[in-house]
Amino acid sequence: MRVLASAPAKIILFGEHSVVYGKPAIAAAIDLRTYVRAEFNDSGRIKIEARDIKTPGLIVSFSEDSIYFESDYGKAAEVLGYVRQAIELVKEEADKNGTGITVSITSQIPVGAGLGSSAAVAVATIGAVSKLLGLELTNEEVGRLGHRVELLVQGASSGIDPTVSAIGGFIHYEKGKFEHLPFMELPIVVGYTGSSGSTKELVAMVRENYEEMPGIFEPVLNSMGRLVERAKEVIISDIDRELKFQTLGKFMNINHGLLDALGVSTKKLSELVYAARVAGALGAKITGAGGGGCMYALSPGKQREVATAITIAGGTPMITKISREGLRIEEVLP
Ligand code: MEV
């Protein structure tokens, strides 16, 4: 038997980092996917084939007669840690510890870009392997197992990434609970800095600073939480689209400033954020853990201009759409 499953990337619209401290956040699944194929093998071991994992930091250099490739294997190895944990957790759940399983992964999501590549690979793996082992899990249950994988690999995690990857759509998330928000097309442009940040290290750095200066960090995290609640009110209100986007844009700019205060922005991220604003975006901010990775800009009627500005500022623009679907079982072959 062979199972192919896929799970989407995500963007956090508001509330990254503060969500780790129990504050709410708003996120959406987007139309970039990771595909995982799972099948049995006779060796009794776990085998992982990473056919195409997009890692940043692939360097190609030429000399007169040769081409050299250097890639960021460390990042790829980090992703494989999530896959291994996901398989082990599902085998434990299904009480099939000695079973040999081979998974092969292909992914459209750049690793370490703040788009939830690790969560998507964990969710797709849990989906494929659980089906292979005959476990009937709901997407919500897969999301919860994905959170356990993140806690095992990362140490700290709010669970928002695996939740949105498993259930899809546009969600409000708080302390493990989620609610779908009314679906709306968001005219956004994602800008990729080309470098990656480690979620584990960035979450740990914020925690260290918080413990050192709780009186300063607490109000910043509280403001982030309040911004998310205000953003939710605006999203579900019936004010017209233009005003909705203007207000959300303002909130995004404030949220970016607060993330900068936490220390997770970089020169490049801020350059892309400012380039997008100058080109007409109503708001722009980091998305995900920061330290490199991606920003996004709300750009109604200006997506092309903002994409060009991001390119000129040295980033890679991606015009993405929200994906209503989360984890998907693509194919089950006998
Ligand atoms: C990473 O996509 C989002 C963070 O808030 C970490 C987490 O929620 O687990 C930085």
Side-chain angles (χ1 to χ4, degrees), residues 10 12 15-20 114-116 147 150 154 156-162 199 202-203 287-290:
K10 65 90 203 7
I12 295 187
E16 48 276 271
H17 286 290
S18 44
V19 68
V20 178
L115 299 178
H147 187 196
E150 280 199 340
Q154 260 167 236
S157 144
S158 68
I160 190 169
D161 291 10
T199 301
L202 288 148
V203 168
T287 184

Side-chain angles (χ1 to χ4, degrees), residues 268-291:
K268 188 90 205 163
L269 273 168
S270 288
E271 278 167 4
L272 301 190
V273 161
Y274 278 91
R277 289 182 195 160
V278 170
L282 295 177
K285 67 177 270 292
I286 292 169
T287 184

Side-chain angles (χ1 to χ4, degrees), residues 167-289:
I167 63 164
F170 190 26
I171 67 163
H172 176 273
Y173 181 90
E174 189 170 2
K175 294 187 190 134
K177 297 212 163 34
F178 69 87
E179 144 193 19
H180 270 116
L181 295 172
F183 190 83
M184 62 195 267
E185 265 319 328
L186 287 171
I188 58 172
V189 182
V190 174
Y192 179 32
T193 57
S195 70
S196 63
S198 153
T199 301
K200 181 179 176 172
E201 283 166 23
L202 288 148
V203 168
M205 181 201 75
V206 173
R207 171 73 61 190
E208 255 170 51
N209 289 340
Y210 173 79
E211 279 167 6
E212 200 183 312
M213 295 170 271
I216 293 172
F217 273 68
E218 191 78 55
V220 176
L221 297 168
N222 286 339
S223 293
M224 288 173 153
R226 252 178 251 131
L227 257 179
V228 173
E229 286 315 341
R230 292 288 309 279
K232 179 182 163 191
E233 281 165 25
V234 171
I235 290 165
I236 60 180
S237 74
D238 48 17
I239 59 172
D240 75 77
R241 222 174 102 95
E242 207 173 306
L243 187 58
K244 222 177 231 189
F245 286 156
Q246 267 170 21
T247 316
L248 292 175
K250 255 187 219 160
F251 291 169
M252 284 166 57
N253 291 341
I254 300 170
N255 200 164
H256 180 77
L258 295 171
L259 285 164
D260 202 0
L262 292 188
V264 300
S265 191
T266 63
K267 180 170 177 281
K268 188 90 205 163
L269 273 168
S270 288
E271 278 167 4
L272 301 190
V273 161
Y274 278 91
R277 289 182 195 160
V278 170
L282 295 177
K285 67 177 270 292
I286 292 169
T287 184

Side-chain angles (χ1 to χ4, degrees), residues 132-151:
L132 188 72
L133 295 177
L135 283 180
E136 289 300 330
L137 301 177
T138 62
N139 282 12
E140 211 175 316
E141 286 166 333
V142 171
R144 252 180 262 131
L145 283 180
H147 187 196
R148 274 174 59 196
V149 170
E150 280 199 340
L151 288 171

